[in-house]
Amino acid sequence: MKVIDFRFRPNTPEIINGIKNSAMFKAACKAIGFDRRKPQPLEDIVADLDRLNVELGVITGRDCETTYGFPANNQSVLEFCRAYPEKFVGFWGIDPHKKMAALREIAHVTSEYGMKGIAIDPYLAHIPASEARFYPIYAKCCELGLPVFITMAPPPQVPGAILEYADPRDVDKVARDFPELTLIMSHGGYPFVNEAVYTCLRNANVYMDISEYERAPMVDVYVQAMNELITDKVLFASAHPFVELADALDAYEAFELTDEARRKVMYENARRVLGLA
């Protein structure tokens, strides 16, 4: 079966070292044993994607420079997409605290770099997704027809991050105010599992992935929802290299999904969101 991974970051030495030494995730990496992740050359990573039948990987950037003083990783997203344009799609990370500079950046990376979406991290920005500082970003993305990827569910021991900043009910408010805007909630809105499912169910423009929580408590709720309620609204994502891609694929293989749900979640829904269907 063909697969699109909607949250994949290549585990090159630069990326692995950047994550381990970041102001945001240094403590989290120790807590989850991230030091066990092995770096690879980019060509080997792409060969592994081919071996695992992953047709496309969506690489999401991150910019939380205002709150954490750490440089954005967007340049690496651009480099990966330029190196393998048939294998990677880029979503540019945006810092809402940069105000008009952020809006000009969105326009620039779309027209000049071919970015296919925008990524935001409310819990790293220390404001919820429905906070006013995000609204100009949503309006610009509506204007340009760009989907917005919203990182939810803060990892352990991220300084300054609280669960309240990643509540799916804030995404529900954004979906109400921007019905033309495609929104993707990453990490299943965990631990707000039922709220995330219902936010997808009641809003035609909201999708989610459940990356990093394929084996967490309440995963059965996600699986039931994929089969019965939101078959068209869930996207496979591994969160590689925080989770090994092969491990995420194994977890999905164990899910009791209908053939239709598996086909849509692993491939077809992502093609529709990316405008490839």
Side-chain angles (χ1 to χ4, degrees), residues 49-251:
L49 290 172
D50 290 339
R51 178 177 55 83
L52 294 169
N53 294 319
V54 177
E55 183 178 277
L56 202 63
V58 176
I59 307 177
T60 55
R62 171 172 284 124
D63 186 352
C64 52
E65 188 174 14
T66 301
T67 46
Y68 289 91
F70 199 78
N73 67 354
N74 285 316
Q75 193 61 34
S76 66
V77 176
L78 179 59
E79 291 171 0
F80 293 140
C81 291
R82 283 180 169 173
Y84 290 92
E86 302 303 317
K87 184 58 70 174
F88 296 127
V89 169
F91 277 44
W92 198 264
I94 291 292
D95 182 343
H97 300 292
K98 293 183 178 179
K99 303 175 183 178
M100 286 304 299
L103 302 189
R104 287 189 283 269
E105 188 174 15
I106 292 170
H108 176 72
V109 302
T110 304
S111 62
E112 299 299 321
Y113 299 160
M115 292 292 120
K116 301 301 182 184
I118 295 303
I120 60 172
D121 294 71
Y123 74 83
L124 294 179
H126 297 174
I127 52 177
S130 62
E131 213 270 349
R133 276 166 282 193
F134 280 119
Y135 270 55
I137 293 170
Y138 300 142
K140 175 58 75 172
C141 289
C142 276
E143 177 187 333
L144 298 176
L146 299 172
V148 176
F149 189 92
I150 308 175
T151 297
M152 314 287 279
Q157 300 182 33
V158 176
I162 59 174
L163 285 176
E164 183 181 348
Y165 297 143
D167 192 324
R169 287 172 289 192
D170 286 295
V171 177
D172 183 64
K173 297 172 186 175
V174 177
R176 173 201 63 195
D177 292 340
F178 296 91
E180 300 174 26
L181 180 63
T182 297
L183 302 163
I184 305 110
M185 296 186 294
S186 191
H187 304 319
Y190 202 85
F192 305 103
V193 176
N194 290 308
E195 291 86 346
V197 168
Y198 195 57
T199 297
C200 287
L201 180 63
R202 62 177 247 96
N203 294 290
N205 56 329
V206 178
Y207 297 76
M208 73 173 176
D209 71 59
I210 66 166
S211 58
E212 298 192 43
Y213 295 92
E214 298 91 348
R215 293 185 172 92
M218 297 185 69
V219 70
D220 57 305
V221 177
Y222 290 133
V223 174
Q224 182 181 4
M226 290 182 212
N227 278 327
E228 300 176 7
L229 296 174
I230 51 173
T231 305
D232 295 322
K233 310 299 287 297
V234 181
L235 313 169
F236 169 75
S238 67
H240 183 92
F242 280 97
V243 174
E244 294 288 350
L245 171 57
D247 290 344
L249 289 169
D250 286 346

